[in-house]
């Protein structure tokens, strides 16, 4: 099973990265709230935990994940624009400009996704601090249990968010470094130069 999952991730790298980014973003948008039920029919106050989400924000969340994916694959995506067409010259200049922009600014594309995740995860500590500040909440049944479980889940979400961000940055750096060819093999350099001439722009940077 592990080998199958590993093979699937390697063969569907784009889908796997997008799924991880989107899952992290959606989980960060969930708001954990602990409320105390003090109904008269209850002998003691009862703590209840709720998960609240805004459907509008969830509906827009794929745009943030998709934009973050541009940090990895935006420059390479423009390579496939056709050049043998009436607008070939324009597409060629667009590819050159797009690859140059991606080369210098690609990490910035992760910023909206990172800010959205940080905003979602930042709401929970404020809420849990408000709950812990109320001494009367400690008398409620299950309050401490729900508080500990919520804190543990929030810690796991923090680990997932950091891991996703580090993975995206690492993949971005590997793709950027793949453009630079430092080999002294003349045949390999000639092959890379031929690809550059075929594409019409400097896909591989000779160093």
């Amino acid at each position: 099973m592990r080998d199958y999952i590993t093979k699937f991730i390697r063969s569907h790298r784009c889908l796997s990265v997008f799924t991880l980014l989107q899952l992290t973003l959606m989980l960060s948008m969930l708001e954990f709230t602990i409320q105390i039920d003090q109904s008269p029919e209850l002998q003691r106050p009862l703590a209840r935990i709720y998960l609240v989400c805004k459907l509008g924000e969830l509906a827009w969340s794929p745009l943030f994940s998709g934009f973050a994916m541009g940090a990895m694959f935006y420059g390479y995506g423009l390579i496939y624009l056709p050049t043998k067409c009436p607008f070939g010259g324009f597409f060629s200049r667009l590819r050159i400009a797009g690859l140059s922009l991606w080369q210098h600014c690609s990490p910035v594309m992760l910023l909206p996704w990172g800010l959205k995740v940080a905003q979602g995860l930042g709401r929970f500590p404020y809420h849990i601090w408000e709950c812990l500040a109320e001494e009367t909440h400690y008398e409620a049944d299950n309050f401490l249990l729900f508080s500990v479980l919520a804190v543990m889940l929030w810690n796991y979400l923090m680990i997932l968010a950091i891991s996703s961000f580090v993975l995206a940055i690492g993949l971005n750096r590997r793709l950027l470094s793949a453009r630079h060819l430092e080999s002294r093999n003349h045949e390999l350099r000639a092959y890379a130069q031929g690809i550059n001439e075929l594409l019409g722009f400097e896909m591989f940077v000779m160093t």
Side-chain angles (χ1 to χ4, degrees):
M1 185 65 180
R2 180 182 298 180
D3 294 339
Y4 174 79
I5 295 176
T6 304
K7 184 178 179 180
F8 179 85
I9 292 176
R10 289 178 178 177
S11 58
H12 300 83
R13 183 175 57 179
C14 298
L15 177 61
S16 301
V17 174
F18 177 80
T19 302
L20 181 60
L21 293 176
Q22 180 63 17
L23 177 63
T24 304
L25 182 58
M26 293 179 65
L27 291 177
S28 69
M29 289 181 173
L30 297 177
E31 297 184 26
F32 300 91
T33 59
I34 300 177
Q35 297 182 0
I36 307 301
D37 186 0
Q38 297 179 337
S39 302
E41 59 270 12
L42 297 176
Q43 296 180 354
R44 294 182 56 187
L46 179 64
R48 302 181 187 275
I49 188 169
Y50 297 92
L51 294 178
V52 182
C53 65
K54 297 180 180 179
L55 297 180
E57 291 187 358
L58 291 178
W60 285 101
S61 62
L63 295 180
F64 291 92
S65 301
F67 191 75
M69 287 291 294
M72 281 75 78
F73 304 105
Y74 169 76
Y76 287 102
L78 292 180
I79 292 175
Y80 300 103
L81 289 175
T83 55
K84 295 181 179 180
C85 64
F87 302 98
F90 171 75
F91 285 155
S92 180
R93 290 191 295 271
L94 183 62
R95 292 192 302 182
I96 296 172
L99 192 60
S100 177
L101 178 65
W102 176 71
Q103 177 75 35
H104 295 92
C105 305
S106 55
V108 179
M109 297 180 180
L110 288 166
L111 188 58
W113 176 89
L115 291 176
K116 198 67 176 177
V117 171
Q119 179 186 5
L121 295 177
R123 286 193 291 256
F124 175 75
Y126 177 76
H127 173 72
I128 199 67
W129 177 257
E130 284 186 331
C131 292
L132 295 176
E134 296 289 339
E135 296 182 359
T136 56
H137 289 185
Y138 292 94
E139 301 176 358
D141 290 338
N142 300 327
F143 173 73
L144 292 179
L145 175 62
F146 286 154
S147 298
V148 172
L149 291 177
V151 170
M152 291 177 59
L153 182 58
W154 183 78
N155 287 332
Y156 283 122
L157 289 180
M158 284 289 294
I159 294 174
L160 178 62
I162 295 173
S163 302
S164 302
F165 186 78
V166 171
L167 174 65
I169 288 292
L171 183 57
N172 172 255
R173 292 176 62 88
R174 285 198 298 271
L175 289 174
L176 289 175
S177 62
R179 291 192 62 216
H180 297 268
L181 185 63
E182 300 179 356
S183 176
R184 296 183 178 179
N185 189 320
H186 297 289
E187 294 182 357
L188 181 60
R189 295 176 70 89
Y191 179 73
Q193 185 62 36
I195 294 178
N196 288 343
E197 295 176 357
L198 178 64
L199 294 174
F201 63 96
E202 196 175 34
M203 174 61 193
F204 295 101
V205 180
M206 309 295 179
T207 57

